[in-house]
Amino acid sequence: ATTCIVLGALLMLAGIVLGAFGAHGLEVRVTPRRLESFRTGVLYQQLHALGLLLVGLVARTTAATRALRAAAGLMVAGVLLFSGAIYALTAGAPRWLGMVAPAGGLCFMAAWLLVALHALRHRD
């Protein structure tokens, strides 16, 4: 639980830094389309940073189940794959790297499914 909260907080911090960089440093350096993609990467990073915080808090109040641990791992993997691919593309990485982003999206979906399953199994 503590690891989820710490990782969530650090990913949120990084998301805020990257968002500020995008707003103030990238606007004149990349195309509007790339900037919008970058913003999407930041948004999904921040949403899943909050998701990690939520998973950590849920684990503290119910139980740190395998489903929650897997959900946390999938959220981190999703940020690395989805947002990471977008950040790399914005920095000029080869276009084929864009094929990695959907795998991150699938990680996000699976993570939230696992959170829902945990909630169904651990009702009050």
Side-chain angles (χ1 to χ4, degrees):
T2 300
T3 301
C4 287
I5 294 169
V6 170
L7 280 174
L10 292 174
L11 281 174
M12 182 57 81
L13 171 63
I16 292 168
V17 169
L18 288 166
F21 174 70
H24 303 292
L26 284 181
E27 234 173 60
V28 296
R29 292 192 172 110
V30 298
T31 65
R33 183 174 178 186
R34 278 205 175 172
L35 183 60
E36 189 58 34
S37 291
F38 184 85
R39 288 179 179 153
T40 299
V42 170
L43 173 65
Y44 275 67
Q45 177 174 331
Q46 290 176 332
L47 288 172
H48 290 88
L50 289 174
L52 278 169
L53 292 170
L54 175 70
V55 167
L57 294 174
V58 169
R60 282 189 175 179
T61 59
T62 60
T65 62
R66 277 189 287 164
L68 286 180
R69 285 190 291 277
L74 286 165
M75 286 184 189
V76 172
V79 168
L80 293 174
L81 294 172
F82 182 83
S83 298
I86 290 173
Y87 300 150
L89 288 170
T90 303
R95 290 190 65 161
W96 64 263
L97 193 60
M99 294 187 301
V100 172
L106 290 173
C107 289
F108 291 147
M109 290 179 230
W112 288 109
L113 178 61
L114 288 171
V115 171
L117 291 173
H118 171 86
L120 289 170
R121 291 181 184 147
H122 295 85
R123 297 178 192 194
D124 288 326

